[in-house]
Amino acid sequence: MTGRTLTEAFDIQPSHLAGVLAVEATSQRAFGRHTHDGFGIGVILHGAQDSASGRGNVRAEPGCLISVNPNEVHDGRPVADGPRSWRMLYFDSALIARVAGLLEQSPGCELAHPVLPCSAARQSFLALHAALTGPAEEPWWDVAEQELLQVLGALLEDRRSYRPRLPTGAVARAIQRLDEAPEVAASLTELAREAGVSPHHFLRAFKAVTALPPHAYRLQRQLQKAHRQLLAGEAPVQAALACGFADQSHLNRHFTRAYGYTPGRLARAVRG
């Protein structure tokens, strides 16, 4: 390593949720064995690393979810001396214990997978990270709660053995509620209580039917309603408020991401 300049970049980001620290990093450094006093969950974005863990030596490649338990001795070494990039969320143990209760796990549970090559879990983690570090006016808590449940569910157990047992009528009623009034906020806890099951059980059954968690399903219905109102001549700011968005900029972000053009452009085309 003599004469070689290390690639180093660490960005500590604020989080909307107390007890959560967000870190994004690029490094080719080899880290010595160490521990953290809380849980760490992240994803390898580029490059790869080998590391020791509580379950032996593991290799994490691009797209893999990575995790570490409180006081678990681990390290990290780049593969082939190249830099690797990762995105991490560090959680206070008490917060994870509360969420584990929703998963019907004991407060002292441990994450079972130091490395998990699961695309669904990766996408849930990225959505969780974005919710916790993105614009404050977004409904970040609904997104964060549902995505964190999915991430922890993947890291705590083998999801392949799951078969939804929630009666389809309960999911159908929730879908009908979101279809008929997407502008009305509906938390995961509220929907699960109406179905008579735990939030985790409801989340998994709902996603098995719709392929989306409730927050994402509701967002699609909000966007569709806004699209219809804009085609009917409604102004973008009025459509945003009528469809449950915080303001027009909130609608703009999601609308453009979904359709490729802004609400204002659609409104102008309709007027023209």
Side-chain angles (χ1 to χ4, degrees), residues 90-114:
Y90 294 97
F91 297 88
D92 180 82
S93 296
L95 172 62
I96 295 298
R98 289 196 298 273
V99 179
L102 299 176
L103 293 166
E104 301 173 354
Q105 299 277 345
S106 66
C109 64
E110 291 189 345
L111 305 180
H113 304 282

Side-chain angles (χ1 to χ4, degrees), residues 1-16:
M1 304 217 7
T2 304
R4 182 160 62 88
T5 302
L6 290 177
T7 300
E8 293 287 316
F10 283 82
D11 179 24
I12 300 176
Q13 302 165 301
S15 166
H16 301 315

Side-chain angles (χ1 to χ4, degrees), residues 178-183 220-234 239 243 255 259 261 266 270:
L178 296 175
D179 286 346
E180 292 179 350
E183 71 279 4
Q220 295 307 307
R221 295 298 178 263
Q222 288 177 277
L223 291 171
Q224 291 166 7
K225 182 174 181 178
H227 200 278
R228 292 193 300 270
Q229 292 193 343
L230 291 165
L231 288 175
E234 191 81 61
C243 296
F255 197 94
Y259 301 124
Y261 47 86
L266 177 59
V270 170

Side-chain angles (χ1 to χ4, degrees), residues 8-37:
E8 293 287 316
F10 283 82
D11 179 24
I12 300 176
Q13 302 165 301
S15 166
H16 301 315
L17 189 58
V20 180
L21 177 67
V23 176
E24 188 160 347
T26 297
S27 176
Q28 61 190 110
R29 182 183 301 273
F31 295 92
R33 295 199 169 198
H34 62 286
T35 64
H36 300 279
D37 59 3

Side-chain angles (χ1 to χ4, degrees), residues 9-263:
F10 283 82
D11 179 24
I12 300 176
Q13 302 165 301
S15 166
H16 301 315
L17 189 58
V20 180
L21 177 67
V23 176
E24 188 160 347
T26 297
S27 176
Q28 61 190 110
R29 182 183 301 273
F31 295 92
R33 295 199 169 198
H34 62 286
T35 64
H36 300 279
D37 59 3
F39 289 88
I41 302 174
V43 66
I44 298 292
L45 301 173
H46 305 287
Q49 76 169 11
D50 292 324
S51 61
S53 75
R55 294 177 181 247
N57 292 320
V58 293
R59 172 167 290 187
E61 298 181 326
C64 286
L65 214 64
I66 54 177
S67 72
V68 62
N69 292 293
N71 300 312
E72 180 179 355
V73 178
H74 62 288
D75 58 16
R77 304 172 301 282
V79 173
D81 289 332
R84 73 279 199 206
S85 299
W86 65 95
R87 191 172 289 167
M88 292 291 298
L89 292 171
Y90 294 97
F91 297 88
D92 180 82
S93 296
L95 172 62
I96 295 298
R98 289 196 298 273
V99 179
L102 299 176
L103 293 166
E104 301 173 354
Q105 299 277 345
S106 66
C109 64
E110 291 189 345
L111 305 180
H113 304 282
V115 174
L116 183 65
C118 174
S119 60
R122 178 183 71 248
Q123 291 303 317
S124 288
F125 173 82
L126 293 174
L128 169 63
H129 186 281
L132 292 178
T133 61
E137 68 268 23
E138 301 277 358
W140 64 269
W141 171 243
D142 286 344
V143 178
E145 179 185 39
Q146 294 175 39
E147 300 298 352
L148 180 55
L149 279 170
Q150 294 185 90
V151 170
L152 287 183
L155 290 171
L156 286 168
E157 61 185 23
D158 183 357
R159 294 169 63 95
R160 291 173 299 178
S161 63
Y162 172 69
R163 295 292 184 274
R165 299 189 186 91
L166 184 62
T168 55
V171 174
R173 286 191 295 273
I175 291 173
Q176 181 180 9
R177 172 178 172 175
L178 296 175
D179 286 346
E180 292 179 350
E183 71 279 4
V184 179
S187 71
L188 175 63
T189 301
E190 182 181 357
L191 293 171
R193 183 171 60 247
E194 291 177 356
V197 297
S198 72
H200 184 232
H201 189 173
F202 177 83
L203 173 62
R204 296 171 75 177
F206 188 96
K207 192 172 181 182
V209 173
T210 68
L212 294 170
H215 75 82
Y217 184 91
R218 178 192 170 219
L219 175 60
Q220 295 307 307
R221 295 298 178 263
Q222 288 177 277
L223 291 171
Q224 291 166 7
K225 182 174 181 178
H227 200 278
R228 292 193 300 270
Q229 292 193 343
L230 291 165
L231 288 175
E234 191 81 61
V237 65
Q238 297 301 325
L241 298 177
C243 296
F245 293 94
D247 51 31
Q248 185 176 339
S249 65
H250 184 195
L251 170 62
N252 283 352
R253 280 192 297 275
H254 290 292
F255 197 94
T256 305
R257 190 180 304 153
Y259 301 124
Y261 47 86
T262 66

